[in-house]
Amino acid sequence: MVHTGNESRVEAKRIPVERVQTGVRMEKRLLKVLKALAEYHDMTLGDLLEGIVLHAFDGKSPFGAESLKRIQDLKKFYALDLDSSASHRLTEIRRGPAEPARGRRK
């Protein structure tokens, strides 16, 4: 789970923010793992991503041992073979106009 080290205080100190909808594109299997992890922790994908980013900005790991194990299991389930060494090297698959995306039906 994304953790702060002070879980008992998190609920008591809510911080009002303005959220905006975004249309971020992301690698398909990575998104599946993130969605499944958010569901596992009973939180929204947005809450999960906010927690990951805020921890990263502070130079902290957002995940405990249990969540890291769950992530490894989800990566296997969704065949996600990428790790941090792939960062900033991913390129979009270009499809021709007549070539449908895999897994989609007309």
Side-chain angles (χ1 to χ4, degrees):
M1 179 174 184
V2 176
H3 59 85
T4 65
N6 270 333
E7 271 67 32
S8 61
R9 297 161 108 192
V10 172
E11 291 296 322
K13 294 187 178 185
R14 294 285 182 183
I15 302 169
V17 296
E18 179 182 358
R19 289 194 169 105
V20 295
Q21 190 67 35
T22 179
V24 175
R25 295 178 62 79
M26 185 176 288
E27 200 281 331
K28 184 177 180 177
R29 298 165 300 162
L30 181 58
L31 181 59
K32 286 181 178 187
V33 169
L34 287 169
K35 283 178 154 180
L37 187 62
E39 177 68 25
Y40 176 76
H41 288 296
D42 195 28
M43 62 175 49
T44 67
L45 178 60
D47 284 341
L48 178 70
L49 292 174
E50 285 172 344
I52 291 170
V53 171
L54 289 171
H55 277 79
F57 285 176
D58 286 347
K60 298 177 181 178
S61 174
F63 303 112
E66 181 183 331
S67 287
L68 290 172
K69 171 67 171 114
R70 176 65 57 174
I71 290 167
Q72 290 306 312
D73 293 344
L74 291 169
K75 283 178 68 173
K76 286 179 189 171
F77 183 80
Y78 289 111
L80 177 59
D81 54 355
L82 303 173
D83 61 18
S84 60
S85 68
S87 183
H88 308 295
R89 296 189 306 123
L90 304 178
T91 58
E92 190 112 9
I93 296 171
R94 302 208 185 257
R95 300 189 188 287
E99 186 181 350
R102 276 190 261 154
R104 291 187 184 168
R105 296 182 184 174
K106 290 186 176 182

